[in-house]
């Protein structure tokens, strides 16, 4: 009897093959549910039917607890620029481990990593270390509010800056409002009072920002922006946008805050260097810890001097593990091995991946695109221009479980990505790894076409109005 391939068959087939290869993960997940809510300790790493338990990593590859191997394009959400267990980082961190992890004192590795970062990132004259990117943006925003003696920070509609209360506003873009986005709290438990200190504006829209600032600038301390929002969809800043934000901040007398927690990997001094736009404060994290928990915030000396402990009215900033020896040593080892040449190489591989993904979409008649820059790439399920984060959020509508199924099907084919379709390149990768990913993606797209046909038909078929490309080179 002939079986008609429909969306339900596709989903069942992907799930069945996933379950068949992951009995060990399933058993561990069942046990984990007794101790961790939903068997997880991190919302972003959970996915149905249960997450794969990775057991070991080496270079660009991961091995799960069932012995399956995966090419790792997640790299712990962009933080592992050198992949896993890079021998020199391991050696230097292990050596430090034998001499003590943290002393509750000042230490030389802190100074060495701070010096390296300050030499590279144009905006940073002084910095402080934290244990996560969340803490880094929280302290950076507090520093801005204290310096300006004003409460409000403007963030982008759809921008993600971690999980402290003052950034849990419009993390997903407001796709309901017809005009300007309305500020809303996304998480239960975040006090309504937060909305007294946060305003939102659409990314890549200078006119909207200007009108907001004209009306409210006297109450605004600064604007926080990720120069290329990653969780928001890897949407590139339009030519002149970041420069325009800098000009607006100067014109209205407020601070510009860059969250370069992810984008630092795109150039040795971050996107601020590549784009030639220098903010007042910058938050860093991810790659600067060499695989260990980390964050940092820094910027203009007059703003950061507020943290001088001996200063009058000094701002307090503590943290038991701030600047611990292991993070600092591993971070220094990782960053010393990441010069501009290494960055150019991973960026070129990322661009090669993007070209391959876009060629696959074109040859299979799928109306989707790969957005991003260099070593950071993201599938967007639309071929319309994606300019604001609202556009990116709309691209994710009306596609059923396509993102989730693609993620599982890529796992079935030995490729580990984020479940929102992000691919991130690490230095151990070569052309061969990019080809491996493209072959897996082509197989996955073929498997998913009947699903698209039924659940998201807008993705298939001829486009009478070929779109203008949304990608852009950062140098234009
Ligand atoms: C742009 C951005 N800012 C802040 C954060 C928060 O960093 P962390 O997860 O280290 O708290 C992230 C994490 O993904 C991020 O992508």
């Amino acid at each position: 009897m002939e079986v008609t391939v429909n969306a339900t068959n596709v989903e069942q087939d992907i799930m069945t093959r996933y379950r068949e290869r992951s009995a060990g993960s399933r058993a561990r997940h069942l046990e984990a549910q007794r101790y961790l809510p939903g068997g997880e300790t991190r919302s972003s790493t959970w996915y149905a039917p249960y997450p794969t338990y990775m057991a070991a990593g080496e270079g660009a590859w991961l091995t799960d607890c069932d012995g399956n191997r995966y090419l790792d394009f997640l790299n712990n959400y962009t933080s592992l620029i050198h992949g896993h267990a890079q021998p020199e980082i391991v050696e230097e961190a292990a050596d430090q481990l034998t001499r003590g992890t943290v002393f509750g004192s000042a230490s030389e590795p802190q100074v060495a990593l701070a010096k390296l970062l300050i030499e590279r990132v144009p905006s940073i004259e002084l910095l402080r270390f934290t244990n996560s990117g969340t803490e880094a943006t929280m302290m950076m925003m507090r520093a801005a509010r204290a310096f300006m003696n004003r409460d409000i920070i403007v963030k982008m509609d759809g921008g993600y800056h971690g999980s402290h209360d003052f950034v849990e506003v419009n993390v997903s873009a407001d796709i309901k409002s017809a005009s300007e986005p309305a500020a809303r709290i996304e998480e239960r438990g975040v006090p309504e009072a937060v909305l007294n200190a946060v305003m939102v504006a659409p990314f890549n829209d200078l006119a909207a920002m200007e009108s907001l600032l004209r009306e409210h600038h006297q109450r605004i301390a600064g604007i926080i922006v990720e120069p290329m929002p990653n969780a928001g969809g890897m949407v590139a800043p339009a030519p002149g946008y970041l420069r325009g934000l800098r000009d607006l901040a100067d014109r209205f007398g407020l601070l510009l805050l860059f969250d370069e927690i992810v984008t630092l990997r795109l150039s040795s001094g971050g996107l601020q260097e590549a784009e030639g736009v220098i903010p007042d404060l910058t938050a860093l994290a991810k790659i600067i810890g060499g695989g260990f928990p980390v964050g940092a915030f820094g910027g203009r000396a007059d703003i950061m001097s507020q943290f001088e402990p001996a200063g009058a009215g000094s701002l307090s900033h503590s943290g038991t593990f701030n600047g611990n020896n292991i993070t600092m040593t591993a971070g220094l080892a990782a960053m010393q091995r990441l010069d501009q040449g290494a960055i150019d190489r991973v960026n070129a591989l990322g661009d090669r991946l993007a070209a391959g993904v876009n060629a696959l979409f074109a040859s299979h008649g799928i109306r989707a695109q790969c957005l991003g820059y260099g070593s950071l790439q993201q599938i967007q399920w639309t071929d319309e221009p994606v300019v604001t984060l609202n556009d990116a959020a709309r691209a994710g509508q009306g596609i059923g479980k396509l993102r989730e199924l693609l993620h599982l099907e890529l796992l079935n084919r030995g490729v580990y990505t984020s479940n929102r379709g992000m691919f991130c390149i690490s230095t151990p990768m070569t052309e061969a790894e990019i080809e491996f990913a493209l072959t897996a993606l082509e197989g996955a797209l073929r498997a998913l076409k009947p699903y698209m046909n039924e659940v998201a038909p807008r993705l298939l078929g001829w486009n009478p109005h070929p779109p203008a490309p949304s990608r852009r080179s950062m140098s234009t």
Side-chain angles (χ1 to χ4, degrees):
M1 193 181 72
E2 198 177 310
V3 178
T4 321
V5 182
N6 60 25
T8 313
N9 302 146
V10 171
E11 185 175 345
Q12 278 171 357
D13 175 58
I14 290 175
M15 287 286 179
T16 304
R17 284 186 289 112
Y18 180 77
R19 288 176 191 278
E20 278 169 2
R21 68 206 305 274
S22 60
S25 286
R26 181 169 178 276
R28 284 164 178 77
H29 176 67
L30 289 177
E31 194 199 353
Q33 283 177 312
R34 290 160 53 194
Y35 310 113
L36 303 165
E40 260 296 350
T41 192
R42 193 173 167 190
S43 300
S44 52
T45 49
W46 179 86
Y47 46 88
Y50 48 83
T52 296
Y53 274 67
M54 297 300 177
E58 191 182 355
W61 290 87
L62 286 168
T63 306
D64 73 13
C65 64
D66 291 287
N68 302 303
R69 297 206 349 122
Y70 306 87
L71 196 47
D72 185 9
F73 282 92
L74 183 62
N75 285 299
N76 190 31
Y77 283 86
T78 78
S79 61
L80 302 174
I81 187 89
H82 297 301
H84 302 275
Q86 199 277 346
E88 286 137 326
I89 300 176
V90 170
E91 194 184 319
E92 288 175 39
D95 180 52
Q96 179 61 52
L97 203 50
T98 63
R99 285 179 285 121
T101 59
V102 60
F103 303 137
S105 77
S107 76
E108 277 179 47
Q110 298 167 353
V111 184
L113 184 55
K115 180 168 181 280
L116 179 146
L117 294 171
I118 287 168
E119 280 168 2
R120 287 198 187 184
V121 183
S123 63
I124 304 187
E125 295 177 325
L126 290 171
L127 70 75
R128 278 283 177 105
F129 289 108
T130 65
N131 296 296
S132 68
T134 291
E135 284 173 65
T137 62
M138 181 181 81
M139 291 307 302
M140 172 171 75
M141 289 163 70
R142 188 184 297 174
R145 289 191 295 254
F147 187 77
M148 297 297 292
N149 198 19
R150 296 175 188 165
D151 278 353
I152 295 175
I153 302 281
V154 181
K155 78 176 279 294
M156 300 299 155
D157 184 37
Y160 177 70
H161 302 287
S163 48
H164 61 90
D165 288 353
F166 289 92
V167 290
E168 289 286 8
V169 177
N170 293 46
V171 175
S172 51
D174 175 10
I175 51 175
K176 292 205 182 106
S177 300
S179 54
E180 297 314 315
R184 69 186 193 293
I185 288 175
E186 298 231 335
E187 287 291 313
R188 287 185 299 117
V190 174
E192 278 292 311
V194 158
L195 292 181
N196 296 331
V198 182
M199 287 182 169
V200 292
F203 180 72
N204 265 344
D205 186 340
L206 286 173
M209 183 63 82
E210 181 172 359
S211 89
L212 186 147
L213 296 186
R214 189 172 300 120
E215 195 174 343
H216 301 287
H217 66 97
Q218 278 154 342
R219 295 190 295 137
I220 295 174
I223 303 165
I224 185 169
V225 62
E226 201 187 350
M228 179 175 76
N230 81 96
M234 295 298 179
V235 181
Y241 175 66
L242 296 174
R243 162 66 42 212
L245 280 184
R246 176 71 274 175
D247 293 345
L248 285 175
D250 291 344
R251 173 139 65 93
F252 288 102
L254 40 94
L255 302 178
L256 184 61
L257 284 52
F258 274 9
D259 176 343
E260 293 238 43
I261 284 170
V262 170
T263 54
L264 179 66
R265 61 163 34 240
L266 296 175
S267 172
S268 81
L271 262 192
Q272 57 191 263
E273 179 194 47
E275 290 276 275
V277 176
I278 312 304
D280 301 293
L281 289 170
T282 299
L284 305 175
K286 308 251 188 202
I287 63 168
I288 67 165
F292 289 87
V294 76
F297 65 101
R300 272 168 44 189
D302 55 342
I303 304 174
M304 290 305 293
S305 303
Q306 295 180 106
F307 293 97
E308 273 177 23
S314 148
L315 288 182
S316 166
H317 163 239
S318 292
T320 305
F321 288 98
N322 287 0
N324 72 78
N325 295 332
I326 306 302
T327 298
M328 297 295 104
T329 303
L332 189 63
M335 295 305 290
Q336 283 170 336
R337 281 161 188 83
L338 189 73
D339 57 14
Q340 190 60 48
I343 292 175
D344 290 344
R345 207 180 65 76
V346 284
N347 282 344
L349 288 175
D351 289 339
R352 162 81 196 94
L353 177 76
V357 172
N358 282 328
L360 285 178
F361 287 144
S363 67
H364 289 272
I366 298 171
R367 296 172 63 172
Q369 61 189 304
C370 189
L371 280 189
Y373 172 74
S375 68
L376 297 169
Q377 300 293 338
Q378 159 93 39
I379 290 175
Q380 288 289 351
W381 295 106
T382 179
D383 62 354
E384 298 297 323
V386 177
V387 177
T388 65
L389 307 189
N390 195 311
D391 297 335
R394 282 178 205 276
Q397 300 284 303
I399 57 170
K401 295 183 191 164
L402 183 56
R403 285 206 276 220
E404 293 84 344
L405 292 174
L406 177 64
H407 176 242
L408 284 187
E409 182 58 7
L410 286 174
L411 278 168
N412 287 341
R413 291 166 185 269
V415 171
Y416 191 48
T417 59
S418 86
N419 47 15
R420 61 173 190 261
M422 186 263 293
F423 290 74
C424 151
I425 315 294
S426 62
T427 57
M429 290 183 180
T430 65
E431 284 280 336
E433 280 76 20
I434 303 302
E435 291 312 315
F436 184 97
L438 289 172
T439 304
L441 182 64
E442 175 152 37
L445 291 176
R446 274 186 209 282
L448 282 162
K449 255 182 138 174
Y451 184 90
M452 294 181 211
N453 195 32
E454 194 177 318
V455 175
R458 72 166 166 85
L459 293 175
L460 300 177
W462 182 62
N463 183 355
H465 307 292
S470 304
R471 295 180 63 78
R472 82 172 182 93
S473 143
M474 288 294 161
S475 53
T476 56

